[in-house]
Amino acid sequence: MSTRPLIAISQRVDRVPARAENRDALDQRLTGWVCALGALSLPVPNALGDDLAGWLAALAPTAVLLSGGNDIGDSLERDGTEAALLEHAARAGLPVLGICRGMQMLAHHAGATLVPVGGHAGTRHPLQGDAVLSGAIPAEVNSFHNWGLAACPPGYAVLATAPDGSIEAMRHRALRWEGWMWHPEREARFGAGELARARQLLIGE
């Protein structure tokens, strides 16, 4: 049996009307990024409903990663799955990383309001803040989102912002939970700094 950490990863929901199917999907690059952390990926189905608790108990992931894709409200089953994952992580003391929509879900779960943002889809921009100056957060990132946070959620601290002031990274003050608004898996070469930070957060190394 492998002793590598097992990270539960939420999946996007793709509607395929021509086949009357709702498909769970996960970018293969994100699986590769998790492998680069030294962990194994455990994609979480969105159709488990009340069976999710038993599924988590049986497979016992060691961390949770909320992936990108879908705006909150686009897929009620995904929204429910991710809310349940966060509740499980809080009870079990598991670390969590939210990427793009995943960071928005962390904020939403904490009661924060999401607002539309312009100029953040399909582009790159610099980051600013003490975490950037210290080298803990990249100085420039990709950007693929149309929604941002109106304010920092209760219980969280801001790590970095975009030049327009929108929050790009945050950490929970008490839990090992963190959110990044960019996609580290979409870089041509995975950033060593991001891998090291995620490894420390999710694996504790």
Side-chain angles (χ1 to χ4, degrees):
M1 179 179 292
S2 173
T3 59
R4 294 169 70 183
L6 188 60
I7 299 179
I9 308 179
S10 66
Q11 301 187 79
R12 68 178 297 141
V13 174
D14 289 334
R15 313 290 185 191
V16 187
R19 294 185 179 273
E21 293 179 356
N22 295 331
R23 298 177 178 173
D24 291 336
L26 184 64
D27 189 340
Q28 293 177 355
R29 291 172 294 184
L30 189 54
T31 301
W33 190 76
V34 168
C35 284
L37 295 177
L40 296 175
S41 299
L42 180 62
V44 183
N46 284 302
L48 288 173
D50 292 339
D51 291 331
L52 178 59
W55 187 90
L56 288 167
L59 296 175
T62 56
V64 172
L65 195 162
L66 302 184
S67 67
N70 298 129
D71 290 331
I72 293 173
D74 285 351
S75 168
L76 296 182
E77 61 266 44
R78 179 178 182 179
D79 294 348
T81 294
E82 291 190 338
L85 283 173
L86 289 177
E87 290 160 9
H88 173 79
R91 289 192 302 270
L94 301 184
V96 177
L97 175 61
I99 291 175
C100 198
R101 174 227 155 85
M103 174 169 150
Q104 296 170 28
M105 189 65 191
L106 285 172
H108 176 73
H109 187 261
T113 300
L114 301 178
V115 295
V117 294
H120 282 262
T123 187
R124 299 186 68 86
H125 62 68
L127 295 182
Q128 53 195 26
D130 291 343
V132 179
L133 294 174
S134 70
I137 293 291
E140 182 185 276
V141 295
N142 57 48
S143 188
F144 296 95
H145 58 274
N146 293 305
W147 292 87
L149 283 57
C152 186
Y156 284 84
V158 175
L159 292 173
T161 61
D164 63 5
S166 60
I167 299 171
E168 288 283 324
M170 64 182 191
R171 65 168 180 83
H172 199 282
R173 294 183 182 276
L175 305 174
R176 284 172 58 192
W177 292 14
E178 198 159 300
W180 305 347
M181 200 64 88
W182 63 94
H183 286 259
E185 79 281 7
R186 293 187 182 179
E187 296 293 346
R189 298 182 64 179
F190 298 153
E194 291 156 308
L195 287 172
R197 187 175 184 88
R199 192 176 293 116
Q200 177 63 40
L201 173 72
L202 298 175
I203 303 174
E205 296 180 352

